[in-house]
């Protein structure tokens, strides 16, 4: 992740206040809570030339409460605040090779992790009315995804996705202090993953502003998920990493479907939508590759990397093995896990192939 130069932007504006009823799911570690409420929507007109005026699923606040989600520093003499991590540069060819992948469950702990993720995914799809069509199938209008529905889904899920890395990094940090032993690189990768997921959220917040009810939903989901994941990581870090690996498999599927719908012309408002400046700087996006489609491809690549990292960490001896993504190997000619998209394995690296 490179240093970010953040400039202030114009306030987010109110586009419409439709009074349509809809459902949203609060996905947490313990389950899915369906909630029904009325909503409206606002967008940042500077980030998008498109006037969103139809129904919106993520805002219920009648007017703007804040001007900027990620404001520049106001301290005298301070020009910018630099990031601690430099994001790897992805090439277009690398991002286009990202594919949906699945790691088969081979033991009871894998089945626990996979079963939990499948329950979450089913519940989320059910209460939000989402249904992916089979090949050649035409869905009813109520199941069709729009730009607004996709953004609602992205914002809510990314607000929770940054929790696992922070919890794992925090617990390993405390364990290192408590036992007075090195952590061998795990903390850095887990915290970097949490930071990366937060950048996804901040990017989407440049395109849409959630209202008070969405913020309440995020608060509730985060509270349940954080505590559930915290206790689970104390019991079995391996299951938790496998759980996140399967969760990231679903994230890759989600972004792949969104990209496919955009390419098929089903999301016309995104054809002229450009990526926010915060995304351009963070992913170091080339000047001619800054469309909404490019943004989704960068985020999908990140999720594919998280998928590999967590499946790999789930294959290791949690207490003693070094983090393969922070390791300098004696034989550099042999293929090893890397921070970038080189040698990407959708199902993760097996321990015997690393050490």
């Amino acid at each position: 992740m490179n240093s970010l130069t953040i400039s202030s932007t114009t306030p987010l504006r109110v586009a419409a206040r439709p009074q349509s009823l809809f459902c949203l799911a609060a996905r947490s570690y313990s389950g899915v809570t369906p909630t029904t409420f009325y909503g409206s929507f606002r967008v940042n007109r500077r980030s998008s030339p498109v006037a969103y005026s139809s129904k919106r699923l993520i805002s219920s606040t009648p007017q703007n409460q804040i001007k900027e989600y990620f404001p520049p520093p106001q301290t005298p003499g301070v020009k910018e605040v630099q990031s601690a991590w430099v994001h790897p540069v992805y090439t277009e060819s690398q991002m286009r090779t990202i594919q949906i992948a699945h790691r088969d469950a081979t033991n009871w702990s894998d089945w626990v992790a996979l079963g939990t993720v499948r329950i979450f995914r089913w519940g989320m799809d059910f209460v939000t009315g989402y249904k992916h069509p089979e090949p050649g199938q035409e869905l009813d209008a109520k199941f069709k995804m729009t730009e607004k529905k996709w953004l609602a889904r992205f914002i809510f899920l990314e607000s929770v996705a940054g929790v696992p890395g922070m919890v794992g990094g925090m617990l390993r940090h405390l364990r290192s202090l408590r036992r007075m032993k090195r952590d061998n690189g795990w903390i850095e990768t887990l915290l970097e993953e949490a930071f990366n997921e937060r950048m996804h959220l901040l990017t989407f917040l440049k395109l849409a502003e959630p209202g008070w009810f969405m913020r309440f939903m995020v608060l509730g989901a985060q509270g349940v998920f954080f505590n559930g994941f915290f206790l689970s990581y104390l019991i079995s870090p391996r299951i938790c990493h496998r759980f996140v690996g399967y969760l990231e498999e679903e994230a890759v599927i989600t972004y792949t479907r969104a990209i496919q719908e955009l390419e098929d012309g089903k999301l016309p408002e995104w054809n002229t939508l450009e990526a926010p400046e915060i995304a351009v700087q963070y992913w170091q996006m080339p000047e001619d590759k800054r469309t909404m489609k490019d943004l989704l491809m960068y985020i999908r690549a990140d999720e594919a990397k998280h998928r590999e990292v967590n499946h790999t960490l789930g294959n290791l001896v949690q207490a003693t093995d070094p983090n393969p993504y922070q390791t300098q190997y004696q034989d550099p000619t042999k293929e090893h896990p890397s921070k970038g998209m080189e040698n990407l394995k959708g199902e993760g690296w097996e321990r015997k192939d690393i050490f």
Side-chain angles (χ1 to χ4, degrees):
M1 299 175 192
N2 64 325
S3 61
L4 302 179
T5 303
I6 308 303
S7 60
S8 59
T9 60
T10 54
L12 301 176
R13 308 285 185 187
V14 175
R17 292 189 59 197
Q19 300 297 323
S20 60
L21 192 66
F22 73 97
C23 294
L24 183 63
R27 187 179 73 174
S28 66
Y29 189 82
S30 58
V32 179
T33 304
T35 305
T36 303
F37 63 100
Y38 291 89
S40 59
F41 170 58
R42 293 183 305 284
V43 299
N44 186 335
R45 292 187 183 275
R46 178 171 181 178
S47 298
S48 170
V50 181
Y52 289 77
S53 58
S54 58
K55 300 175 183 178
R56 182 53 180 159
L57 307 186
I58 64 173
S59 177
S60 56
T61 304
Q63 59 184 359
N64 288 326
Q65 302 297 317
I66 53 179
K67 292 184 178 181
E68 176 62 64
Y69 282 98
F70 199 22
Q74 301 297 324
T75 307
V78 176
K79 180 180 178 181
E80 64 178 343
V81 178
Q82 295 186 339
S83 169
W85 293 288
V86 177
H87 193 283
V89 177
Y90 299 155
T91 65
E92 183 177 1
S93 60
Q94 288 175 333
M95 292 189 293
R96 289 190 176 279
T97 58
I98 299 298
Q99 295 182 349
I100 294 174
H102 173 64
R103 180 185 177 88
D104 292 332
T106 58
N107 50 51
W108 71 268
S109 61
D110 288 356
W111 279 112
V112 169
L114 179 59
T116 305
V117 170
R118 284 180 173 174
I119 291 174
F120 287 172
R121 181 61 190 253
W122 175 85
M124 180 68 176
D125 292 347
F126 177 76
V127 299
T128 56
Y130 174 81
K131 184 178 181 181
H132 190 70
E134 299 295 333
Q137 179 186 9
E138 186 67 23
L139 294 178
D140 296 336
K142 65 178 180 179
F143 291 119
K144 291 183 179 179
M145 294 293 287
T146 64
E147 295 89 345
K148 291 80 177 175
K149 289 182 179 180
W150 278 120
L151 277 177
R153 198 176 185 88
F154 296 158
I155 287 179
F156 185 79
L157 296 181
E158 294 294 354
S159 69
V160 181
V163 171
M166 181 58 66
V167 172
M170 176 187 69
L171 289 177
R172 293 194 68 96
H173 171 75
L174 295 177
R175 179 176 179 271
S176 178
L177 297 178
R178 189 169 60 249
R179 301 188 63 185
M180 301 183 185
K181 292 184 178 180
R182 293 187 59 180
D183 178 72
N184 291 321
W186 287 58
I187 297 172
E188 290 88 339
T189 293
L190 294 176
L191 294 183
E192 185 175 5
E193 176 182 307
F195 183 90
N196 177 256
E197 296 286 9
R198 186 175 68 92
M199 291 302 296
H200 294 175
L201 175 63
L202 292 175
T203 297
F204 287 128
L205 288 177
K206 290 291 186 179
L207 305 177
E209 177 179 355
W212 66 267
F213 202 93
M214 169 61 91
R215 299 181 196 186
F216 176 78
M217 297 284 288
V218 169
L219 180 64
Q222 187 179 98
V224 174
F225 186 55
F226 179 94
N227 288 286
F229 198 85
F230 178 90
L231 295 175
S232 300
Y233 204 92
L234 289 175
I235 297 172
S236 177
R238 181 184 179 279
I239 293 180
C240 288
H241 285 297
R242 187 71 73 219
F243 167 84
V244 177
Y246 285 131
L247 199 65
E248 298 295 357
E249 288 183 4
E250 296 297 329
V252 172
I253 293 175
T254 295
Y255 285 108
T256 298
R257 288 174 176 174
I259 293 171
Q260 186 62 53
E261 290 198 0
L262 198 161
E263 292 178 338
D264 292 343
K266 298 179 180 179
L267 304 172
E269 294 180 359
W270 282 356
N271 291 333
T272 56
L273 183 62
E274 294 186 357
E277 184 62 25
I278 187 175
V280 172
Q281 294 186 42
Y282 177 63
W283 281 285
Q284 305 177 60
M285 302 172 73
E287 195 167 340
D288 59 339
K289 296 294 181 180
R290 298 178 180 178
T291 65
M292 186 62 179
K293 177 184 174 181
D294 295 317
L295 174 61
L296 294 179
M297 291 182 65
Y298 275 100
I299 295 178
R300 182 181 66 171
D302 284 344
E303 305 295 7
K305 192 62 185 180
H306 299 330
R307 176 185 66 188
E308 179 203 70
V309 169
N310 281 278
H311 275 320
T312 300
L313 295 181
N315 295 334
L316 304 182
V317 179
Q318 305 294 303
T320 58
D321 280 345
N323 174 14
Y325 296 93
Q326 294 287 133
T327 300
Q328 183 176 356
Y329 297 94
Q330 293 182 351
D331 184 5
T333 61
K334 182 182 177 181
E335 287 190 348
H336 292 102
S338 67
K339 282 190 173 184
M341 302 303 293
E342 305 84 5
N343 308 325
L344 183 70
K345 291 190 177 183
E347 300 177 12
W349 289 74
E350 299 296 333
R351 186 178 186 276
K352 61 182 179 61
D353 296 329
I354 304 173
F355 305 120

